[in-house]
């Protein structure tokens, strides 16, 4: 083979190699575009899902609570306190509670006997403020729905007993069982005379939802750190690690001597 022919074949092979490399480069770019497009599509879908989820959360948060209808006998600023005990009692215990809050149940378990003793004796007045903190932290509506039901019980003159029943039957914090009106009505059967058509209608209509929302707003504005928040004549006592039911009883008795 002549030198000229060998040179021609070598040039042809080199051209073919260059073309193959160009084709490989084009294939790589095409695959990159396909993968990149897929990633963008996935991210776009995730963004859409995120927006939908965020909007769903916003819808829940911004759901209209309705007019502010205070329960019968509510007292204090804006009628946000449900009173238990005699108005003539000298000291006042102010309690901010959430029916879904495990710490609130612990407080009730420990302090309820002495609180009942002192309120029944006319030595202490308790003002209960209902909060929906767990609904915000864990999601759901059980705090609000239970608080509305408790306000409905107040309308019927049965708040103290129903309040205790709700805490005695509190579901696990992550279980939004109190969001079910049927469950709240079922528990009303444990309080003599509470399960009436008027109570059921009040629960099912969410008559006091607006009042509950306003109560929680007052909690936020108060700058409290959590539930339960317990104030004795305005002083936060539950954060005092030395506080006990016996000490609270002594404080009440001393206040009544003044």
């Amino acid at each position: 083979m002549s030198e000229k022919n060998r040179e021609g074949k070598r040039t042809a092979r080199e051209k073919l190699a260059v073309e193959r490399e160009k084709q490989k480069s084009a294939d790589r770019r095409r695959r990159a575009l396909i993968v990149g497009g897929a990633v963008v599509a996935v991210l776009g879908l995730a963004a859409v899902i995120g927006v939908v989820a965020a909007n769903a959360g916003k819808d829940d948060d911004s759901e209209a609570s309705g007019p502010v209808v205070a329960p019968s006998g509510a007292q204090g600023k804006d009628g946000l306190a449900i009173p238990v005990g005699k108005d003539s009692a000298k000291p006042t215990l102010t309690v901010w509670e959430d029916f879904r809050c495990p710490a609130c149940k612990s407080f009730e378990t420990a302090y309820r006997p002495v609180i009942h003793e002192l309120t029944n004796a006319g030595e202490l007045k308790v003002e209960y403020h209902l909060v929906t903190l767990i609904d915000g932290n864990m999601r759901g509506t059980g705090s609000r729905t239970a608080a509305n039901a408790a306000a409905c019980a107040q309308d019927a003159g049965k708040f103290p007993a129903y309040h205790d029943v709700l805490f005695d039957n509190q579901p696990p914090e992550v279980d939004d069982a109190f969001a079910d009106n049927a469950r709240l009505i079922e528990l009303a059967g444990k309080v003599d005379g509470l399960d009436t058509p008027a109570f059921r209608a009040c629960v099912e209509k969410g008559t006091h939802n607006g009042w509950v929302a306003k109560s929680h707003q007052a909690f936020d504005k108060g700058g409290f750190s959590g539930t339960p928040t317990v104030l004795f004549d305005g002083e936060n006592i539950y954060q005092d690690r030395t506080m006990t039911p016996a000490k609270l009883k002594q404080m009440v008795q001393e206040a009544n001597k003044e």
Side-chain angles (χ1 to χ4, degrees), residues 204-225:
E204 291 169 350
K205 292 178 181 178
T207 298
H208 300 295
N209 281 350
W211 175 83
V212 173
K214 192 168 185 178
S215 178
H216 185 80
Q217 289 172 4
F219 174 80
D220 284 340
K221 291 177 181 178
F224 304 120
S225 59

Side-chain angles (χ1 to χ4, degrees), residues 2 7 18 77 89-90 100 108 139 149 168 171 173 211 224 228:
S2 67
E7 183 64 27
V18 170
K77 184 179 179 180
K90 288 185 178 180
R100 288 181 68 186
E108 286 294 327
R139 308 298 296 170
D168 288 343
E173 187 177 14
W211 175 83
F224 304 120

Side-chain angles (χ1 to χ4, degrees), residues 48-62:
V48 171
I49 293 172
V51 169
V52 171
N55 287 338
K58 288 178 182 177
D59 289 342
D60 290 341
D61 293 339
S62 62

